Amino acid sequence: KTLDEIRHMSMDGWGEGANDENFSYLKLKRSVRTWKEIAFVPYIRSSDIIYESACGSGLNMLLTAEILYEHNKTNLTFYGNDSCIELLTSSTS
């Protein structure tokens, strides 16, 4: 999928309200923004490397990357692993 397709698709299984067919990527991003701004923004510098274990399809990394970019954190490199082959395959296609 393209980033634009991901940003406009319905999210399911991602917390309160996520089973609503209208729960979108943008709603999900709004719901995690404050926490990510507190947990990551003060500690991440441009050009840092971020590793996420159990990254699934990479959606959480995409959310984090976008929020960090909005705070002028650029040239970040993201790596991740997961034991579910189907999720890893979908994250690279």
Side-chain angles (χ1 to χ4, degrees):
K1 296 189 190 265
T2 67
L3 289 177
D4 194 51
E5 289 172 328
I6 292 169
R7 288 183 183 114
H8 292 94
M9 67 187 218
S10 176
M11 301 285 130
D12 60 349
W14 276 84
E16 186 177 334
N19 292 324
D20 176 354
E21 66 183 42
N22 296 316
F23 193 74
S24 68
Y25 176 85
L26 295 176
K27 286 181 182 178
L28 175 59
K29 187 175 173 183
R30 279 193 300 271
S31 75
V32 298
R33 174 180 294 286
T34 301
W35 183 85
K36 288 186 180 289
E37 288 174 336
I38 292 167
F40 292 104
V41 171
Y43 308 105
I44 300 293
R45 297 172 300 186
S46 290
S47 301
D48 274 356
I49 297 171
I50 298 173
Y51 181 85
E52 181 180 346
S53 184
C55 66
S57 63
L59 181 62
N60 187 54
M61 286 193 284
L62 176 60
L63 290 164
T64 303
E66 286 190 345
I67 292 167
L68 290 171
Y69 181 79
E70 292 164 5
H71 287 273
N72 299 313
K73 311 295 183 174
T74 59
N75 299 315
L76 298 170
T77 301
F78 285 82
Y79 293 101
N81 75 304
D82 202 293
S83 62
C84 181
I85 297 300
E86 291 82 13
L87 290 174
L88 292 173
T89 303
S90 71
S91 70
T92 59
S93 54

